[in-house]
Amino acid sequence: MYERETADNLQNRAEQAAWPEDEAQSLTASVKSVVFSNEENGYAVLSVTDTDGQEQTVVGTFPYAWPGENITAYGHWATHASYGRQFVAESSERSAPTDERAIFSYLAAGTVRGIGPATAGQIVNRFGSRALHVLEKEPRLLAGVPGISLKKAEQFSKEYRRQEGLKQLVLLLASCGVAPEYAVRVYRTFGDKSPDLVRENPYLLTAPGIGAPFGAADMLAAELGISESDPNRIRAGIRFVLEHNERNGHCFIPCAKLCAAAAQQLNLGEESVSAALEEMTERRELIREAVAGQDACYLPDLYEAECETARRIAAMAQETARKERIPNLEKLIAEFEAEQGLTLALQQREILNYAARHRIVAVTGGPGTGKTTSLRAVVKLFDRMKLETLLAAPTGRAAKRMADLTGVEAATIHRMLGAKLSEESGKPVFTKNRNDRLECDALIVDECSMIDIRLMHAMLEALPQSARLILVGDASQLPSVGPGDVFSAILRSGVVPSVSLTEIFRQQGGSRIVRNAHMINRGEHPDLSENAGDFFRLKRMQAGTLAETVVELCSVRLPQKLQIPPEEIQVLSPTRKGDCGTLALNRQLQAALNPPSPEKKERPLGSVIFREGDRLIQTRNNYDILWQRPDGSEGTGIFNGDIGILKEINREEQTLTVDFDGRLARYETEMLEDLEHAWALTVHKAQGCEYRAVILALSDTSRRLLTRMVLYTAVTRARDLLILVGNDETAFRMIDNVAPTRRYNALRVRIREACGV
């Protein structure tokens, strides 16, 4: 597992666009110039002079590379589709220059901030080949150089030592596939002692705020001869199990299960793990508490997020219902009905009464039950009450849809909270928090089933103490990718004023998408042979013909027969893998919808080819990426699930420009692993979005993916047309597979306890 992860990481960083020509080789050379470098992850393109005096290009991980230094790179020669022959380095050894000319080039290039060509010349003239030794070990001697004070000399020395320490650290970690950004985080925390501390305890790499993979730290520890029973290893293994289960949606793990899983992971007895767990509890490295009938073990930040979320929700729910009646509420409802040409149902009127009188309200309902109409009515109500109202949703597409339906600007929750990466910890933080709260009297949030416990905690922390909160969603959809089952827990707590919309309104209940979705949610089998209206089934038994049909629907049948352009069609699959998974489907859809052309530049990345015109999705939050709108406005942050179009490939600068709904973001080479093709998406990735037409590819795959909730979520992504391609039996097995996956969390219990229930 870890060996494969390490190899993949190395390959990703070693310029996948190049195709190997030879077996593993080495190249010894002197750096002539740095063509490109990224300080965050160490990726660089170097122009070097080899031992035969020939100029070559080397690509790979070379943090803080500078002209003049010597390298021995290990890897292979390859031919890049655009840039020609180059050496792809998988590892390297580096050393500072030793002759005076090379030392001058090294310092004159700006290796040390504040030392330019003139100062470099003076230092080399004074100290010759000892210049770098003096810079590192005897900075006081530099004060004898004209223009260099003692304070400056010490600053120069500190900066030089920092870079040398980082180089040592990166090279130490590279052998185990640990990305250079982790080395930066370690050095930021521990300074010059970092290499020695990591050799002594490689599991520092897995600590909070650094976050390197446990497997990589374990490999390094084995290379360094550290015992399997080392206490640092056991504590890191326990943290790894908790973090792994967090990614599976759990806020805590019962103590007995945690000990058993960690013992298996570490190949040790449970007694050793139990003793380490007790020590971690004493140190507050984890929190152990009896809650919800469990002996629960939490990571500290998840414990705080769950407790504080429960406390705040309970406080809002307990606030005495406002006695004052909203002036002319019935008149306002009548005006809204006249404007919209409809009559609000009793449940929708109940939502308005709750919204007018309570601090927090939760609204749930399936497709076509009037959530959107209710949301518009609440916005109108708050406007009449002269409340400053913010609208937000977990994804960009959900926020855009929310804005289109209400006529009021909406933002993603991350953007509303000012998400960014902390320079100190390297973790995501929000600029809007308890010290700088949101400027609003009310907040309305849609697609709340997607919100995990950390994001809910951050949102509540930033909400003004007196502000109202309206939570809207569909509790029957898939829960959040992150830890917790927040929206469901709030509804099930029984203390938050809640309305469950059940009456179907869309197209007077005539939509087969809506009708079948509700049947699926109730566990009933719809008649899939009834191909009419907005719901169709094309029966395909074999994976090959199933995939061909999906491609034909996207490229020919829907565009030509129904005038639905490909950009308004979304293919969904429960899985990434297999002939009908998103990876294979995207390759075929790219060939059909965006084939090679002399007018379109391409950028290979391993087995993937990015081509101008491709539809792409961002696969993880990137808080630092810069974007610019055509009007010149700028911002930062592209988030997991954002979908855009590849507009330009710049071969000279080795960058890609992607248009995310008018936000143009530029991607460097090392950032491309965060992009995937998006003609086909997993159902999880599509959650929170609505598409004019959805083609659902259903084939046999893992039972844990073929569930009722996955099928229901997929069907409810379609607005005007749903085409299910596959076998009826697969769909029926999904409906019958309720597969209640328990998520260990105690939010519902904590809310009720805080309310004294």
Side-chain angles (χ1 to χ4, degrees):
M1 170 180 171
Y2 301 128
E3 288 79 7
R4 179 165 185 172
E5 178 182 81
T6 298
D8 288 345
N9 287 341
L10 284 170
Q11 180 182 359
N12 284 339
R13 293 200 309 277
E15 186 52 74
Q16 299 93 327
W19 300 97
E21 294 175 348
D22 305 311
E23 297 298 322
Q25 296 186 29
S26 64
L27 173 68
T28 300
S30 173
V31 178
K32 181 180 179 183
S33 64
V34 180
V35 179
F36 167 83
S37 68
N38 183 296
E39 185 170 326
E40 184 66 23
N41 63 18
Y43 180 86
V45 178
L46 309 179
S47 176
V48 303
T49 303
D50 64 20
T51 52
D52 294 328
Q54 299 296 310
E55 189 171 333
Q56 310 287 359
T57 298
V58 180
V59 299
T61 301
F62 298 100
Y64 303 102
W66 295 100
E69 70 173 292
N70 303 310
I71 65 167
T72 298
Y74 302 94
H76 58 262
W77 288 101
T79 300
H80 189 283
S82 302
Y83 306 107
R85 194 167 187 262
Q86 55 191 30
F87 191 86
V88 180
E90 296 175 0
S91 63
S92 65
E93 297 173 359
R94 296 162 59 187
S95 60
T98 54
D99 67 87
E100 294 184 13
R101 182 183 295 274
I103 292 172
F104 171 76
S105 297
Y106 186 66
L107 293 176
T111 311
V112 179
R113 277 187 291 241
I115 298 180
T119 305
Q122 290 180 312
I123 292 173
V124 174
N125 287 339
R126 172 70 65 91
F127 301 107
S129 60
R130 294 185 64 251
L132 296 181
H133 170 81
V134 170
L135 185 60
E136 180 181 7
K137 304 289 188 183
E138 302 178 85
R140 290 180 176 274
L141 296 179
L142 290 177
V145 175
I148 300 180
S149 64
L150 181 58
K151 183 178 180 180
K152 271 190 177 182
E154 290 174 347
Q155 288 175 344
F156 291 160
S157 182
K158 182 178 180 180
E159 173 65 12
Y160 179 75
R161 291 196 308 274
R162 183 183 79 89
Q163 293 198 30
E164 288 301 307
L166 262 175
K167 285 180 187 177
Q168 288 183 43
L169 195 56
V170 169
L171 293 173
L172 173 66
L173 303 186
S175 63
C176 297
V178 180
E181 54 260 39
Y182 297 116
V184 173
R185 293 176 194 172
V186 171
Y187 201 91
R188 188 187 291 136
T189 304
F190 299 109
D192 293 344
K193 297 179 180 178
S194 295
D196 292 336
L197 289 174
V198 169
R199 288 187 182 94
E200 180 181 335
N201 176 16
Y203 299 100
L204 285 175
L205 298 169
T206 67
I210 298 172
F214 174 80
D218 217 24
M219 285 180 62
L220 180 58
E223 287 186 8
L224 295 171
I226 292 174
S227 168
E228 285 190 346
S229 59
D230 185 273
N232 292 319
R233 179 175 185 263
I234 300 174
R235 288 196 295 271
I238 292 171
R239 241 188 348 261
F240 168 78
V241 172
L242 285 168
E243 290 166 351
H244 174 79
N245 281 278
E246 174 193 328
R247 292 192 289 274
N248 289 332
H250 301 294
C251 290
F252 69 80
I253 296 296
C255 184
K257 290 192 174 184
L258 175 59
C259 285
Q264 183 178 13
Q265 172 70 37
L266 296 166
N267 195 28
L268 295 172
E270 289 190 27
E271 300 81 7
S272 300
V273 173
S274 181
L277 192 147
E278 292 292 340
E279 183 181 351
M280 293 177 74
T281 303
E282 291 177 6
R283 294 182 176 187
R284 303 289 289 181
E285 292 177 12
L286 62 80
I287 309 297
R288 186 173 176 181
E289 180 180 281
V291 65
Q294 300 287 345
D295 182 4
C297 294
Y298 287 84
L299 290 169
D301 64 323
L302 278 177
Y303 177 79
E304 179 186 4
E306 187 175 270
C307 291
E308 285 300 304
T309 296
R311 184 193 64 78
R312 184 70 192 277
I313 288 174
M316 295 174 76
Q318 281 185 303
E319 185 169 318
T320 305
R322 298 169 188 272
K323 296 180 180 179
E324 72 274 12
R325 292 184 60 82
I326 304 306
N328 301 318
L329 181 57
E330 291 301 319
K331 181 181 177 183
L332 184 148
I333 292 174
E335 290 175 354
F336 178 79
E337 290 175 330
E339 289 174 6
Q340 300 293 318
L342 51 78
T343 300
L344 292 177
L346 289 176
Q347 290 175 331
Q348 293 173 314
R349 288 170 175 262
E350 186 179 18
I351 291 170
L352 289 177
N353 275 287
Y354 278 167
R357 301 175 60 238
H358 293 277
R359 286 281 316 285
I360 182 170
V361 179
V363 179
T364 184
T369 56
K371 292 195 303 294
T372 297
T373 300
S374 303
L375 193 153
R376 282 200 299 261
V378 172
V379 171
K380 181 80 171 178
L381 168 66
F382 286 170
D383 184 55
R384 182 64 61 89
M385 294 172 66
K386 297 185 176 0
L387 299 179
E388 184 68 30
T389 304
L390 295 179
L391 273 62
T395 68
R397 291 212 162 191
K400 185 176 186 301
R401 176 172 174 267
M402 197 180 185
D404 292 341
L405 293 172
T406 62
V408 179
E409 183 180 352
T412 64
I413 299 172
H414 280 84
R415 199 169 303 284
M416 176 184 71
L417 296 178
K420 68 174 187 177
L421 277 182
S422 166
E423 292 184 2
E424 294 181 359
S425 68
K427 284 189 169 184
V429 295
F430 299 100
T431 57
K432 290 295 181 182
N433 50 49
R434 70 183 67 179
N435 300 317
D436 182 14
R437 298 184 189 272
L438 296 166
E439 296 178 5
C440 67
D441 303 306
L443 172 62
I444 303 174
V445 186
D446 200 5
E447 298 290 351
C448 287
S449 63
M450 299 180 66
I451 300 176
D452 66 29
I453 191 66
R454 282 198 179 93
L455 190 56
M456 180 61 76
H457 174 227
M459 192 168 66
L460 290 173
E461 188 179 58
L463 192 68
Q465 292 289 341
S466 61
R468 288 171 164 83
L469 177 63
I470 311 295
L471 302 172
V472 183
D474 184 348
S476 296
Q477 288 186 22
L478 291 165
S480 60
V481 174
D485 195 0
V486 177
F487 188 52
S488 176
I490 291 171
L491 291 166
R492 291 183 292 108
S493 71
V495 299
V496 173
S498 306
V499 178
S500 179
L501 296 169
T502 56
E503 185 176 349
I504 298 175
F505 297 100
R506 190 190 294 180
Q507 300 172 13
Q508 292 73 50
S511 167
R512 292 190 67 240
I513 292 175
V514 173
R515 189 179 76 195
N516 288 347
H518 284 275
M519 289 183 69
I520 291 167
N521 199 31
R522 293 192 298 266
E524 301 170 11
H525 291 191
D527 183 359
L528 297 179
S529 65
E530 183 190 349
N531 280 344
D534 55 7
F535 193 109
F536 291 82
R537 185 268 286 134
L538 299 180
K539 194 168 186 177
R540 299 292 185 271
M541 305 296 290
Q542 301 299 322
T545 55
L546 192 159
E548 290 174 5
T549 300
V550 169
V551 174
E552 184 185 9
L553 285 167
C554 291
S555 58
V556 180
R557 293 167 67 173
L558 294 189
Q560 293 182 5
K561 293 184 178 181
L562 296 181
Q563 286 71 56
I564 302 178
E567 58 268 23
E568 296 183 11
I569 303 169
Q570 183 61 58
V571 176
L572 300 181
S573 172
T575 180
R576 287 170 54 86
K577 300 177 181 179
D579 293 339
C580 296
T582 57
L583 296 177
L585 288 172
N586 270 316
R587 285 194 293 270
Q588 296 180 58
L589 288 166
Q590 181 191 40
L593 300 175
N594 191 32
S597 167
E599 288 76 37
K600 295 178 180 179
K601 292 192 284 292
E602 296 182 352
R603 173 65 164 84
L605 186 72
S607 61
V608 175
I609 294 176
F610 290 116
R611 184 176 298 131
E612 290 176 340
D614 282 349
R615 185 194 297 180
L616 303 175
I617 184 171
Q618 176 78 10
T619 59
R620 73 178 182 94
N621 292 336
N622 186 325
Y623 300 88
D624 292 335
I625 191 169
L626 299 173
W627 52 261
Q628 185 176 53
R629 296 190 188 276
D631 62 7
S633 59
E634 297 179 337
T636 60
I638 299 294
F639 301 109
N640 185 11
D642 285 353
I643 292 178
I645 302 297
L646 177 50
K647 287 296 185 182
E648 181 187 12
I649 295 175
N650 188 317
R651 288 173 175 166
E652 291 184 1
E653 298 182 5
Q654 299 195 53
T655 60
L656 275 65
T657 300
V658 183
D659 183 351
F660 293 96
D661 291 325
R663 292 173 292 136
L664 298 175
R666 195 173 81 156
Y667 285 75
E668 309 287 354
T669 297
E670 71 284 349
M671 300 158 63
L672 299 185
E673 61 188 39
D674 295 338
L675 290 173
E676 291 182 357
H677 287 107
W679 289 287
L681 297 176
T682 62
V683 177
H684 281 81
K685 283 291 185 187
Q687 192 170 356
C689 300
E690 185 180 71
Y691 309 95
R692 179 180 174 186
V694 167
I695 300 171
L696 177 57
L698 285 187
S699 64
D700 284 335
T701 185
S702 169
R703 187 175 185 274
R704 68 182 182 83
L705 296 174
L706 297 179
T707 68
R708 181 188 300 174
M709 193 173 282
V710 169
L711 181 59
Y712 173 78
T713 302
V715 170
T716 55
R717 299 309 89 209
R719 185 181 74 238
D720 299 333
L721 179 65
L722 187 287
I723 301 178
L724 191 158
V725 185
N727 184 358
D728 294 4
E729 290 305 314
T730 302
F732 295 154
R733 284 202 306 273
M734 294 179 77
I735 295 170
D736 296 338
N737 182 14
V738 181
T741 302
R742 180 174 185 181
R743 289 190 166 199
Y744 288 112
N745 74 94
L747 181 61
R748 182 186 70 85
V749 172
R750 293 187 191 281
I751 293 173
R752 290 177 62 81
E753 287 179 349
C755 289
V757 178

